[in-house]
Amino acid sequence: MVKGGAKLVFNEGARGGFEYWHDVILRNDAAIGADGNYHATRTKLWRWDGERYKLLATVPYGQPLRELARLEAESKIR
């Protein structure tokens, strides 16, 4: 929220939904498979930098915790 209203800070949608890890948004993508159902494909990790959300990494679905652990070890997120 800003004076006079709201400011858009994240303009992303997700077919696979969103998850959160501390100050990181995990945006899960999905695609329609041959069976006609949605199947998770990848996860994009976004972090607030004080002004906007910045894309940290894109990883195969099911592997975001490994990437988060690597980023935390490198002190890129806390």
Side-chain angles (χ1 to χ4, degrees):
M1 301 298 294
V2 295
K3 184 177 180 179
K7 176 184 174 187
L8 181 65
V9 295
F10 193 73
N11 191 24
E12 294 281 327
R15 285 201 168 117
F18 292 93
E19 299 175 90
Y20 303 93
W21 180 265
H22 302 286
D23 63 346
V24 177
I25 294 176
L26 290 75
R27 177 186 168 265
N28 299 308
D29 290 331
I32 297 176
D35 61 1
N37 294 315
Y38 281 102
H39 298 276
T41 56
R42 65 185 179 177
T43 300
K44 290 186 176 183
L45 308 175
W46 295 85
R47 181 174 181 257
W48 182 252
D49 71 1
E51 293 183 28
R52 63 183 180 88
Y53 280 94
K54 180 180 175 186
L55 181 62
L56 294 175
T58 301
V59 297
Y61 181 79
Q63 297 181 13
L65 295 181
R66 179 181 302 149
E67 184 65 15
L68 286 167
R70 185 186 70 76
L71 291 168
E72 285 182 351
E74 293 176 0
S75 298
K76 291 187 178 176
I77 61 173
R78 294 200 179 267

